[in-house]
Amino acid sequence: MSLIIPYITQTIETTYGKNNLFCVACLSDEAFWTCGNEDILKLYNLDGQLLDSVQTQSGNVPRDIALSRMGDLLYTDYINRCVNLVNGGEIRQLIRLDGWRPHG
């Protein structure tokens, strides 16, 4: 059994600053969503160009992001205890939690 050794193929600069990029979710082989230390989720291509951005509904910093099977963006809001879905620029609350906070 051989292990594949990972290597860096490209470095992409974001506007989050050093050590402030929290999460990355791959939309395709050519684009990925990011979240960091601000209330804006950002979509970049592999050239580092900003393709799209979405401000969180509450203005809170998202704690984590994911993509649905359909490619819709999901993010957690730790402060408001909810999981939100972004579809076509519209944000819809999917789940509001009672007693615990979504962190990842």
Side-chain angles (χ1 to χ4, degrees):
M1 180 174 167
S2 67
L3 296 175
I4 298 173
I5 298 173
Y7 59 95
I8 297 172
T9 59
Q10 191 165 350
T11 301
I12 298 169
E13 294 293 324
T14 67
T15 58
Y16 296 110
K18 187 176 181 179
N19 299 322
N20 291 314
L21 174 65
F22 299 159
C23 304
V24 175
C26 293
L27 178 62
S28 68
D29 289 344
E30 299 174 5
F32 56 95
W33 281 101
T34 62
C35 74
N37 61 341
E38 56 187 47
D39 63 346
I40 299 175
L41 305 151
K42 298 176 183 177
L43 178 67
Y44 289 95
N45 67 14
L46 293 181
D47 293 326
Q49 295 173 316
L50 182 64
L51 303 176
D52 196 5
S53 62
V54 177
Q55 185 171 5
T56 61
Q57 197 169 40
S58 65
N60 297 327
V61 173
R63 292 292 178 106
D64 200 6
I65 57 175
L67 292 164
S68 72
R69 290 183 187 177
M70 302 299 289
D72 297 324
L73 179 64
L74 298 123
Y75 71 91
T76 60
D77 187 321
Y78 181 82
I79 304 298
N80 284 353
R81 300 175 185 245
C82 61
V83 177
N84 296 295
L85 172 78
V86 180
N87 180 302
E90 298 292 318
I91 300 173
R92 182 175 54 131
Q93 188 179 96
L94 287 182
I95 303 168
R96 183 173 206 80
L97 305 162
D98 188 28
W100 62 279
R101 297 177 188 272
H103 188 268

